[in-house]
Amino acid sequence: MVPGDLGEVYDPDTLAAIDAWEPPREPGAATRLVGGWRARFTGGALLTAVALGLQEVFEPPRPAEIVEVDPWERTPVDAWVRFCWHPDPRLSVALVTPR
């Protein structure tokens, strides 16, 4: 017996037809691997990976330029960042000059 009001409203043949119903299949639905938002997400991820790879080929990352300076000596003339350290952090200053 069907629980609820369906058993009282429908006859057994109609209930069997409702239980046997399946949604219609789209042609080619079984062969499609990815669809909807997954396809858009995958396409976007692949394009992003290609773009980042091309950027790395045509604009290789530059190595970081680090100049270590003895605080008691004069700062080199070609330094583009000068840091004046003071024990009180509020008085420390970093001077950045454009290249």
Side-chain angles (χ1 to χ4, degrees):
M1 192 71 185
V2 176
D5 295 331
L6 290 179
E8 297 171 3
V9 176
Y10 295 110
D11 62 352
D13 293 333
T14 306
L15 289 174
I18 291 173
D19 290 336
W21 182 83
E22 290 184 14
R25 291 188 170 254
E26 298 176 18
T31 60
R32 187 173 62 205
L33 296 176
V34 179
W37 68 270
R38 289 185 188 113
R40 290 189 303 272
F41 177 78
T42 304
L46 287 174
L47 285 176
T48 302
V50 168
L52 290 176
L54 289 175
Q55 179 185 11
E56 198 169 305
V57 168
F58 293 115
E59 290 182 23
R62 295 188 310 182
E65 183 179 325
I66 300 173
V67 178
E68 293 184 20
V69 179
D70 185 10
W72 305 115
E73 293 180 7
R74 186 175 174 168
T75 306
V77 177
D78 63 341
W80 61 283
V81 176
R82 296 180 187 184
F83 184 72
C84 302
W85 182 81
H86 192 275
D88 183 4
R90 294 174 292 176
L91 299 176
S92 294
V93 177
L95 303 171
V96 180
T97 56
R99 289 190 137 203

